[in-house]
Amino acid sequence: MADMPKGRLAMWWLIASEVVIFGGLIATYIMFRLRHPEWGHAAAHTSTPMGALNTFFLLTSSLTIVLAHDAANRKDLKGAVRNMLITLGFGLGFLVVKSIEYSTEISHGFTLTAELFWSFYFLMTGLHALHVIAGMTTIFIVMLGVRKGKNLQRVEFAGLYWHLVDLVWILLFPLLYIAH
């Protein structure tokens, strides 16, 4: 622990706190879901293709942020910035697809208060979307420094957070879209 950079240690603490938040939320959802098999009917109204597209966006963006980290380690500033921009593009694509999903679901009457399933759905996916926005903001701020050759180690920290965002989605996608 004494050899670990403070920024990396702080990021792991943040990630641990996020795991507690999402872990508790997901565990609560699973307990309710097991007691309410009728939620499968509600889950059938989520768009699996859109959820799969968002999974593609986030998994691919995990690759690009790793490539940005690799480029930063090699002091390839242009490569790091390019891959961070691509990561931001995938994050934006995720948010666009999510907003289309939300507007479609709400237009069909599936709102936050329609059923308890939809309350969980909007709470978990909405909280996740806020984390996507936070991750994109972090990557953007780090990218501004990387362009000037400053704080290249922060690419790793932003990448760790981005991987958490991906991991949470990988758990949410089967729970909310596939498990009918």
Side-chain angles (χ1 to χ4, degrees):
M1 278 281 233
D3 295 341
M4 183 180 288
K6 290 177 184 171
R8 185 182 300 149
L9 182 62
M11 185 53 62
W12 280 112
W13 275 110
L14 175 66
I15 288 172
S17 68
E18 298 289 344
V19 167
V20 169
I21 292 169
F22 277 104
L25 195 55
I26 289 171
T28 304
Y29 171 80
I30 290 172
M31 287 190 292
F32 271 92
R33 180 71 171 85
L34 292 174
R35 297 190 70 172
H36 296 278
E38 70 275 9
W39 285 12
H41 174 71
H45 294 285
T46 59
S47 173
T48 302
M50 292 245 198
L53 180 59
N54 269 344
T55 303
F56 170 78
F57 283 157
L58 288 185
L59 290 178
T60 306
S61 69
S62 257
L63 171 65
T64 57
I65 198 69
V66 167
L67 293 174
H69 179 226
D70 179 59
N73 281 342
R74 291 183 284 109
K75 311 282 189 232
D76 174 10
L77 302 183
K78 287 183 180 178
V81 168
R82 180 182 62 246
N83 281 301
M84 294 173 88
L85 280 172
I86 294 170
T87 303
L88 291 173
F90 281 121
L92 183 62
F94 176 91
L95 293 174
V96 167
V97 169
K98 198 73 219 148
S99 66
I100 292 169
E101 278 189 81
Y102 280 167
S103 63
T104 303
E105 289 154 353
I106 291 170
S107 71
H108 288 94
F110 304 122
T111 62
L112 186 68
T113 57
E115 295 176 32
L116 192 53
F117 169 83
W118 291 105
S119 299
F120 271 105
Y121 172 82
F122 282 109
L123 176 63
M124 292 194 296
T125 60
L127 186 61
H128 178 263
L130 289 175
H131 282 75
V132 170
I133 293 168
M136 291 174 64
T137 303
T138 302
I139 291 169
F140 180 75
I141 291 169
V142 169
M143 185 184 70
L144 294 178
V146 169
R147 279 182 35 202
K148 299 174 184 170
K150 295 181 180 176
N151 301 313
L152 299 181
Q153 79 282 4
R154 291 182 180 170
V155 176
E156 176 189 0
F157 307 150
L160 287 172
Y161 186 82
W162 195 251
H163 292 315
L164 168 75
V165 169
D166 294 347
L167 177 64
V168 169
W169 181 255
I170 289 170
L171 295 172
L172 293 180
F173 177 59
L175 287 173
L176 298 172
Y177 291 81
I178 297 175
H180 299 170

